[in-house]
Structure formats: structure tokens, C-alpha cells
């Protein structure tokens, strides 16, 4: 709020005034290093103040457009939803705001590097030299870290459905029937997200449903004899064509997903109602599901009862046998 920002500016002014009291240190050889550090601190405070003045109006505008109430009162939410959801909804605006001030932040960090560590006093028993050394190390890493973070965040709006629905094709593996990639493709389905939240439910089907539909088309399968099926068939094992659930034979998950994608896309071409389009693909296995459940357990699955990470396998096996 405006009052908080005014308090922040007042505090910066008070600190700057305190530092100004040490002007006499510049005239003594023994204390000139401390004086230079004090002056560098004043430069940094001044730049931080300018950054705050630059960012506050834009931040207030962005918060307001996102759904927050801003003014002299503390920031409040005007919608019946979480603050995180509101931020995710307009994430591109926040990214643009950060990119606008990033050069200023890097400039301040460059000034922090100018502190002479030999003239950093220990105040109140705190290891200020050690803290500054760690800060300098983080500053050295910051440009790379910032670049990677921005690269991810710029993709995030599309991944979370910021301002629009994003559909995922979900592929499930079953490690009980092992394949080189981890397990047979046992099921598939779609989920939709918008503004970081699920839309409707999660729809899943047995992978046989996809293969059985493809056979009704009377067309060649997307892949044929890709891992020696002809030899296996003539030896009394398997089929000459690769079925949708079998393409996880490859240890490369990307390759397995790309192969499965060909089968699903073929079904989508002829029947987009039962096999809807998607923007991205996800692949999960039992271990992932078990670990994820461990974070939120227990789940009460009506009408089957309580499910935990420990009984998940037996729960699934009992229902699928």
C-alpha cells in the first residue's frame, strides 16, 4: 500500500542520514576503507529507493488488473479465489514487470560487489563478512539463474492455462507389467487446466480402448514391426504390428511418448469427440502416483474407501483384477 511504501522510504532516508554522520572517516587513512563502504551503501540505498518508486505504480496497476484491491489499505483480494490463482491468471504481466526492473537489480548487485570485505565490521556478533561473501557468490550466479527462471516462467502461462484452457494428454504406466521405459502403457486420458486450476474432472480410459478403436478403422497401424514383431509372431508370441499399449518397449520416454502420440493422433483425426485434442503430454507411473499421494494422504475415494501411499497398489490391483 501507499502507507507501507512511505514507511519504507522514510526508513531508507533515516539510514542514509545515519551513514552521513560518518563523513569524518574519509580523512583518516585507517578508516578511509570504512568510509568508502559507507558511501557505497548510500549509493545502493538511493538506487533501491529509485527502483521502489519505479516499480510501485506499475505493481499497483498489475495487482489491480489481476483482481487485488490496492490503495491506502493493505492489499486485499476482491474475488472469491486464492491470491496464487489471481497471480497465475495474469502471470505475463508480472514477468514483464520483472524484466523491466531486472537491469536495475543487476546494477544494485554490481554495487554490492564493490564493498571492500576487509572493511566490513562485525556488528552484534554477526559474521557480516561471511554474509557478504555468500551474497557475492549468489550475485555471481544470479544472471544465469534469472535467465533460466525467466525462460521457465515465460512458458508457464501456457502450461497452466493462463487466461485460457490448456489440455494435457495423460499417459499412465504400470510397472507391474514391465517395459523398458518403466511399464506398459495401461491407460490414457485428458485433463484441462485454466489459470492454474483443474477444469472439470480427469477422464481416463484403458489403453485397449484406443487400440480397439483403431482396429475398427481398418487402416494400417502407425508403426509396424518396429521391435521384431514378425520374428516374435512366427515364434508364437505377439503381433506384427505395434499396438498402442506396447510402444513403451523403448527405454527412452520421449521416444515412447512420440510413438504413442502417433496412435492417439490417428484416433483424434477420425474421432475428435472421443479422442479430444491436446496441447501437451504428461506421463506418470505408479511410483509417481504413490509419492504424490504421500503428500496429501489419506484420500477418501467414494465408494471404495480410504487410500494411502502404502495401500495404493493393493487398492488399484483389487479394483482392476
Amino acid at each position: 500500500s501507499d502507507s507501507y511504501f512511505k514507511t519504507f522510504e522514510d526508513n531508507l532516508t533515516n539510514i542514509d542520514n545515519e551513514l552521513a554522520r560518518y563523513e569524518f572517516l574519509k580523512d583518516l587513512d585507517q578508516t578511509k576503507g570504512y568510509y568508502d563502504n559507507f558511501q557505497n551503501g548510500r549509493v545502493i540505498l538511493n538506487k533501491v529507493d529509485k527502483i521502489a518508486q519505479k516499480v510501485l505504480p506499475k505493481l499497483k496497476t498489475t495487482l489491480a488488473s489481476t483482481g487485488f484491491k490496492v490503495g491506502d489499505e493493505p492489499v486485499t483480494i476482491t474475488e472469491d479465489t486464492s491470491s496464487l490463482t489471481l497471480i497465475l491468471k495474469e502471470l505475463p504481466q508480472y514477468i514483464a514487470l520483472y524484466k523491466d526492473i531486472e537491469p536495475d537489480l543487476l546494477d544494485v548487485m554490481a554495487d554490492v560487489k564493490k564493498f571492500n570485505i576487509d572493511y566490513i565490521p562485525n556488528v552484534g556478533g554477526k559474521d557480516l563478512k561471511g554474509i557478504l561473501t555468500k551474497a557475492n557468490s549468489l550475485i555471481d550466479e544470479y544472471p544465469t539463474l534469472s535467465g533460466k527462471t525467466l525462460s521457465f516462467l515465460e512458458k508457464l502461462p501456457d502450461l497452466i492455462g493462463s487466461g485460457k484452457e490448456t489440455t494435457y494428454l495423460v499417459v499412465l504406466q504400470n510397472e507391474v507389467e514391465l517395459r523398458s521405459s518403466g511399464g506398459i502403457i495401461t491407460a490414457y486420458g485428458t485433463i484441462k487446466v485454466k489459470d492454474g486450476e483443474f477444469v472439470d474432472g480427469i477422464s481416463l480410459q484403458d489403453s485397449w480402448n484406443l487400440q480397439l478403436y483403431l482396429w475398427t478403422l481398418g487402416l494400417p497401424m502407425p508403426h509396424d514391426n518396429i521391435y521384431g514383431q514378425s520374428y516374435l509372431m512366427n515364434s508364437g508370441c505377439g503381433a506384427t504390428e505395434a499396438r498402442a499399449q506396447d510402444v513403451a518397449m523403448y527405454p527412452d520416454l520421449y521416444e515412447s511418448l512420440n510413438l504413442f502420440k502417433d496412435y492417439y493422433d490417428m484416433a483424434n483425426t477420425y474421432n475428435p469427440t472421443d479422442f479430444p485434442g491436446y496441447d501437451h503430454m504428461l506421463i506418470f507411473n505408479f511410483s509417481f502416483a504413490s509419492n504424490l499421494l504421500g503428500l496429501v494422504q489419506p484420500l477418501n475415494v467414494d465408494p471404495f474407501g480410504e487410500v494411502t501411499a502404502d495401500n495404493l497398489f493393493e487398492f488399484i490391483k483389487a479394483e482392476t483384477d
Side-chain angles (χ1 to χ4, degrees):
S1 67
D2 293 337
S3 58
Y4 287 167
F5 179 67
K6 181 65 168 59
T7 301
F8 174 72
E9 279 201 313
D10 289 343
N11 288 335
L12 288 181
T13 301
N14 292 336
I15 294 173
D16 184 69
N17 291 336
E18 285 293 317
L19 292 176
R21 295 168 54 190
Y22 296 91
E23 289 285 334
F24 69 91
L25 295 177
K26 68 180 178 180
D27 299 322
L28 302 175
D29 291 338
Q30 298 88 341
T31 57
K32 188 178 184 303
Y34 292 105
Y35 172 79
D36 291 340
N37 278 347
F38 282 133
Q39 290 300 102
N40 190 44
R42 296 178 71 182
V43 170
I44 291 173
L45 288 172
N46 184 51
K47 289 183 177 180
V48 170
D49 184 32
K50 289 182 178 179
I51 292 174
Q53 293 184 47
K54 174 181 178 180
V55 75
L56 183 65
K58 297 179 181 179
L59 179 59
K60 289 174 65 176
T61 301
T62 302
L63 287 170
S65 66
T66 304
F68 291 88
K69 179 182 177 182
V70 295
D72 290 331
E73 299 298 323
V75 174
T76 57
I77 301 172
T78 58
E79 295 183 24
D80 185 21
T81 186
S82 69
S83 57
L84 178 61
T85 300
L86 292 174
I87 291 173
L88 291 176
K89 184 178 180 181
E90 300 294 342
L91 188 58
Q93 292 190 51
Y94 290 95
I95 294 174
L97 181 59
Y98 171 76
K99 292 174 74 172
D100 185 36
I101 66 171
E102 183 186 33
D104 300 314
L105 295 175
L106 293 174
D107 184 43
V108 169
M109 292 179 186
D111 285 331
V112 173
K113 295 275 290 184
K114 294 178 182 178
F115 280 118
N116 188 333
I117 199 169
D118 294 329
Y119 294 95
I120 297 293
N122 286 325
V123 180
K126 294 183 179 180
D127 182 18
L128 296 182
K129 291 184 178 180
I131 294 173
L132 181 60
T133 299
K134 292 181 180 178
N136 286 339
S137 177
L138 291 174
I139 289 172
D140 291 337
E141 298 173 3
Y142 186 82
T144 300
L145 179 62
S146 177
K148 290 181 178 179
T149 303
L150 271 178
S151 177
F152 169 72
L153 289 177
E154 286 174 340
K155 297 180 178 65
L156 192 57
D158 178 56
L159 295 177
I160 64 172
S162 179
K164 65 177 182 64
E165 285 188 359
T166 294
T167 303
Y168 285 88
L169 175 61
V170 180
V171 179
L172 303 184
Q173 289 183 295
N174 179 6
E175 298 98 308
V176 175
E177 190 168 346
L178 282 175
R179 294 293 186 271
S180 296
S181 65
I184 191 171
I185 295 178
T186 188
Y188 67 95
T190 56
I191 57 175
K192 294 182 179 181
V193 293
K194 184 176 181 181
D195 299 329
E197 294 188 341
F198 287 112
V199 179
D200 301 325
I202 300 175
S203 172
L204 293 170
Q205 297 187 54
D206 191 296
S207 56
W208 267 111
N209 291 355
L210 172 59
Q211 184 59 54
L212 291 172
Y213 172 75
L214 292 177
W215 276 333
T216 67
L217 298 176
L219 301 171
M221 291 298 101
H223 299 281
D224 183 40
N225 195 32
I226 58 174
Y227 49 82
Q229 296 99 318
S230 292
Y231 175 82
L232 291 171
M233 184 194 71
N234 292 325
S235 300
C237 177
T240 55
E241 62 188 17
R243 297 169 299 190
Q245 60 268 41
D246 294 329
V247 295
M249 291 296 292
Y250 291 97
D252 187 329
L253 281 177
Y254 290 99
E255 180 67 14
S256 294
L257 275 181
N258 280 328
L259 291 172
F260 183 82
K261 177 178 181 293
D262 293 338
Y263 288 78
Y264 186 88
D265 288 352
M266 182 177 179
N268 167 257
T269 299
Y270 291 94
N271 188 351
T273 301
D274 293 336
F275 304 92
Y278 56 92
D279 302 295
H280 307 286
M281 296 179 71
L282 295 172
I283 187 166
F284 300 129
N285 59 18
F286 173 79
S287 296
F288 177 87
S290 179
N291 292 337
L292 186 62
L293 182 55
L295 300 176
V296 297
Q297 64 184 358
L299 290 182
N300 193 15
V301 182
D302 186 46
F304 304 109
E306 189 174 275
V307 187
T308 66
D310 291 333
N311 71 3
L312 177 62
F313 178 80
E314 292 301 327
F315 173 84
I316 295 174
K317 188 172 186 298
E319 294 302 322
T320 56
D321 276 348

